[in-house]
Amino acid sequence: MTGITLANSSQPQPRHGRNPRWVGFAMLVALVVAAPIIAVLINLGRPTSGVFSHLASTVLPEMLLNTALLVLGVGLGSLVMGVGCAWAVTMLDFPFRRHLAWLLFLPLAIPSYVAAFVYGDLMQFSGPIQTGLRQIFGWSRGDYWFPDMLSLGGAILLLSLAFYPYVFMLARAAFQEQSVCVLEVGRTLGLGPWARFRRIALPLARPMIAGGLALVMMETLSEFGAVSYFGVPTFTTAIYRTWFGMGDPVAAAQLASMLMVFVLAAVMLERAARQAKRFHHSSARTRPLQPARLPVGRGLLVLGLCSLPLLLGFCLPGGWLLHLAIAEGDGLGMQRLAGFTLNSFILSGLAVLVLVPLALALAYAQRLAPGRMMGWSLQFATIGYAVPGSVIAIGVLLPLATIDHGINDWLQSWFGWAPGLLLTGGLVALLYAYAVRFLAVAFNGVDGGLHRIRPSLDHAARLLGEKPLGVVRRVHVPLLRSSLLAAAMLLFVDVLKELPATLIVRPFDFDTLAVRVYQLASDERLGEASTGALIIVLVGLLPVLWLNRVTARSRAGDESDR
C-alpha cells in the first residue's frame, strides 16, 4: 500500500494529540498573530468620527464600487490568462512550449507597483509610445484616441498581468496530474477538444484553480502602490490617506475593519466553493499525458497568444526599467542606494531568522499534537497572509501605541523620565507586522516538506532516546534543508517587496528600496527609481527560478519535456 506506513503496535509510539504544551504554544502564536486583526475589527463597534461620516457620505460608495470591480476584473483576467496558458503548455505541442512553461512565471518577479510606474511612464502623453505615434503619423493633441492607462481599466489590466501566474501555477499542476485515460473516455463519447476541456479537465482542476483565484483576489484587495499611482480610490488608498492625510487613526481603523470583513468573506467563500463539490479520478490506473501536436500555423498562433502575458507582464516593464537604469539611474549615488538596499536586506533577513524557526516549530507541533484545536490555532496563526498590509499596519500600531503611551506615563509618574516610543518608534512594530503578514508563507513551505517525512523516522529516533527537539535538530532539519531554504527565499523576497505595511509602520528616516521606489515614482522621477526597482526585480527572480525547478521535477509523464 503506497504512502501508508505501518507501525508495530507493540512498540511505544509518540502520543499524538495528548501533549497540551504544543497545543498551548500554537494557541499562543495564533493569539499574537490575530491580535492586530482583532484590534482592527473591534473598531467596527466604536462610534464613528466626523471624518468617517464625511467619507461615508462622499467617497465610500465609489471606493466600494471600485474595489468590487477591481477584484472581479482582475479575477476574470487572471482566470482567462492563467487557465488558458496552463492548458496550452500542458496539453498542446507547439514551438518553444517547454521554454514558455517556465517563462510564464516571470511576471511574479516584478512587483505590481513597479509595473504600474513603468506603464504609466510608457503610455503617458509625453511617453515614448504616444510620442512615436505622433512622429510617425504627424498627429498632434486631439487628432487621435489613446487608452488612458491611469484608470480603473488600466489597473485591472496591469494587476491581471501581475497576478495571473498564481492561477497558471496551480492550474498547470492540476492538468499535469490528470490521466490521458480520462480524456480518451470523453473522446470515445464523441466529445471534441473544447468539450473535453470544459466538461472533464476543467471540473477535475476546479479546486486548484479556485485556490489560485483566491490568491489573486487577496492580492488584489491588498494592492496599494499600483491603484494609488493610477488614481483609483479603493479601501487601501483611503486607509493610508485617512491615517496620514487627515490624521484620524480611528477612521482609518474603521475603514480597515470594513475591508477586513470583505477579506474574511472572500476566504470563507473560497473554502466553501472548494468543499462544495469535489472531483476525483475513479481509477488509480493512469497514463501520462501526450501533448497534441499542432500544425505549424496553429502552433505559431498559440505561441503568440501565450507569449502576450509574458511580454506585457515581464519583458516590457523589465526592459524599460533596464533602459532607464542605464540611461539615468538613481541620482543619489551608490552609497545612498546601498543604504536603502541594506535596510531592505536587514529587515528581510531578520524576518527570515524569526519566522522560519517559528514556522518549523508550528509544523512540528501539528505533527506531535494533531487535532481540532491545533487545526483552528494554525488557521488563525496563518490568516495574516489574506489580510492587506495596510490593515495589518493599522492593527499593529493601535495596540502598540497604547502600550508605548502606558509605559511612558508610568515611567514619567514614577521616575520623571519618558523614554519615548519604544515599540512603534523602532523596528519592533515593523517586524511584528511582517510576522503577522508572512508567517503563512514560511509555514506552508516548511509544513509541505515535513509532510513528506515518514512518521516512522520520528518513532525510530524516539526509541533511540531522542527528545522532540533532538528529533527536529538531528532528523528533520537535515531532511528539510531544501524546504527550509525555499521558505526562507520566498519569505525574503515577499518582505523585500512589501510596500503598504512598510510605508505606514517604518521608523522615521528609515527607508527601504520599496519605499524609495514608490516615493520617487510618485514624484514622476521614474528614471531615478529604476535602479532600486531593478534590484527588487532581480532579487525577485530567485524564487521564480526555484519555482520553475520544483514544477519541472513534479512533471508527471511529460515525455517531450524530459
Side-chain angles (χ1 to χ4, degrees):
M1 291 184 289
T2 305
I4 300 178
T5 303
L6 298 179
N8 188 346
S9 60
S10 63
Q11 296 175 345
Q13 305 293 333
R15 296 186 304 169
H16 295 298
R18 299 179 185 177
N19 194 335
R21 291 179 299 175
W22 291 105
V23 177
F25 166 72
M27 292 177 63
L28 178 62
V29 174
L31 180 61
V32 172
V33 170
I37 301 172
I38 297 172
V40 168
L41 292 176
I42 287 175
N43 287 275
L44 275 176
R46 298 183 62 179
T48 59
S49 62
V51 172
F52 184 83
S53 301
H54 172 72
L55 293 174
S57 62
T58 54
V59 298
L60 186 58
E62 183 184 10
M63 288 190 302
L64 283 169
L65 180 61
N66 286 340
T67 302
L69 292 177
L70 191 67
V71 171
L72 292 175
V74 175
L76 181 61
S78 301
L79 192 67
V80 171
M81 287 187 282
V83 174
C85 291
W87 174 260
V89 300
T90 306
M91 301 294 185
L92 305 177
D93 189 7
F94 56 91
F96 303 104
R97 176 181 69 90
R98 289 182 294 174
H99 304 286
L100 203 60
W102 70 268
L103 289 173
L104 284 166
F105 287 113
L106 291 181
L108 285 176
I110 298 186
S112 54
Y113 55 87
V114 172
F117 302 148
V118 171
Y119 271 98
D121 187 61
L122 283 172
M123 301 189 70
Q124 63 180 330
F125 181 79
S126 59
I129 296 178
Q130 292 199 54
T131 301
L133 290 175
R134 291 194 299 270
Q135 291 176 350
I136 293 173
F137 298 101
W139 292 336
S140 59
R141 183 184 290 272
D143 292 341
Y144 64 97
W145 174 86
F146 195 81
D148 183 14
M149 192 67 185
L150 304 183
S151 62
L152 178 61
I156 290 174
L157 174 61
L158 183 133
L159 294 180
S160 298
L161 291 169
F163 297 149
Y164 83 85
Y166 292 113
V167 178
F168 170 77
M169 173 177 56
L170 295 178
R172 182 178 176 229
F175 292 144
Q176 285 175 334
E177 292 173 358
Q178 295 178 10
S179 169
V180 71
C181 305
V182 180
L183 300 177
E184 285 183 348
V185 169
R187 180 182 297 175
T188 60
L189 295 175
L191 299 179
W194 169 248
R196 291 198 300 273
F197 167 74
R198 180 174 57 87
R199 299 179 62 179
I200 299 176
L202 196 59
L204 286 171
R206 187 179 300 173
M208 295 189 73
I209 292 174
L213 188 60
L215 287 174
V216 170
M217 295 173 65
M218 293 172 192
E219 291 289 343
T220 304
L221 286 170
S222 303
E223 182 56 41
F224 170 76
V227 294
S228 175
Y229 184 74
F230 280 13
V232 179
T234 61
F235 273 104
T236 52
T237 59
I239 291 169
Y240 180 79
R241 289 168 183 167
T242 302
W243 183 285
F244 288 97
M246 301 180 181
D248 193 334
V250 175
Q254 289 171 337
L255 288 173
S257 62
M258 294 181 65
L259 179 58
M260 188 64 213
V261 171
F262 284 108
V263 171
L264 293 177
V267 172
M268 289 187 291
L269 286 174
E270 182 269 333
R271 289 179 179 174
R274 295 181 66 181
Q275 294 174 0
K277 188 178 291 186
R278 296 185 180 275
F279 301 87
H280 303 280
H281 297 293
S282 59
S283 172
R285 298 179 61 187
T286 63
R287 280 170 42 206
L289 292 169
Q290 297 293 335
R293 184 175 295 276
L294 296 176
V296 176
R298 292 184 180 179
L300 292 177
L301 177 61
V302 172
L303 173 63
L305 291 175
C306 290
S307 299
L308 274 178
L310 171 66
L311 295 174
L312 298 177
F314 179 79
C315 297
L316 183 60
W320 189 245
L321 278 178
L322 181 61
H323 164 73
L324 290 177
I326 295 173
E328 301 180 41
D330 199 313
L332 286 180
M334 293 306 297
Q335 185 174 0
R336 290 289 304 277
L337 186 63
F340 298 132
T341 306
L342 181 62
N343 288 344
S344 297
F345 280 30
I346 288 174
L347 288 174
S348 299
L350 289 175
V352 167
L353 291 176
V354 172
L355 294 184
V356 172
L358 181 59
L360 178 60
L362 285 174
Y364 190 60
Q366 183 185 30
R367 190 179 181 92
L368 289 182
R372 181 173 299 179
M373 187 62 67
M374 176 65 73
W376 280 104
S377 299
L378 292 178
Q379 286 192 16
F380 277 103
T382 56
I383 197 175
Y385 191 72
V387 182
S390 55
V391 175
I392 291 176
I394 299 297
V396 165
L397 287 178
L398 286 176
L400 291 188
T402 302
I403 295 174
D404 267 340
H405 287 300
I407 293 174
N408 276 270
D409 291 343
W410 182 78
L411 291 175
Q412 181 70 35
S413 61
W414 283 88
F415 304 102
W417 173 60
L421 301 177
L422 298 175
L423 300 177
T424 56
L427 296 181
V428 174
L430 190 54
L431 289 174
Y432 184 24
Y434 290 154
V436 177
R437 180 85 167 90
F438 297 119
L439 179 59
V441 175
F443 176 80
N444 290 335
V446 175
D447 188 55
L450 195 61
H451 275 299
R452 292 193 292 269
I453 299 177
R454 294 186 176 187
S456 57
L457 295 179
D458 298 48
H459 302 161
R462 294 299 301 273
L463 288 172
L464 292 174
E466 283 288 352
K467 300 295 184 182
L469 294 181
V471 175
V472 172
R473 181 174 57 88
R474 302 186 62 180
V475 177
H476 291 154
V477 169
L479 295 175
L480 287 173
R481 189 170 301 164
S482 60
S483 297
L484 293 174
L485 178 62
M489 184 167 49
L490 289 171
L491 183 62
F492 188 94
V493 174
D494 276 344
V495 174
L496 184 73
K497 296 192 298 184
E498 172 63 27
L499 178 62
T502 308
L503 200 62
I504 296 174
V505 185
R506 77 190 194 281
F508 177 74
D509 200 25
F510 186 90
D511 290 338
T512 64
L513 280 176
V515 173
R516 172 71 174 168
V517 169
Y518 173 77
Q519 291 175 339
L520 289 176
S522 299
D523 294 337
E524 303 296 335
R525 296 157 65 187
L526 186 62
E528 297 178 59
S530 61
T531 307
L534 200 59
I535 294 174
I536 296 175
V537 171
L538 291 176
V539 176
L541 282 173
L542 296 176
V544 174
L545 297 176
W546 168 82
L547 189 62
N548 168 64
R549 181 184 177 188
V550 171
T551 54
R553 286 180 175 180
S554 65
R555 279 198 296 260
D558 193 352
E559 297 293 340
S560 63
D561 281 359
R562 291 179 180 178

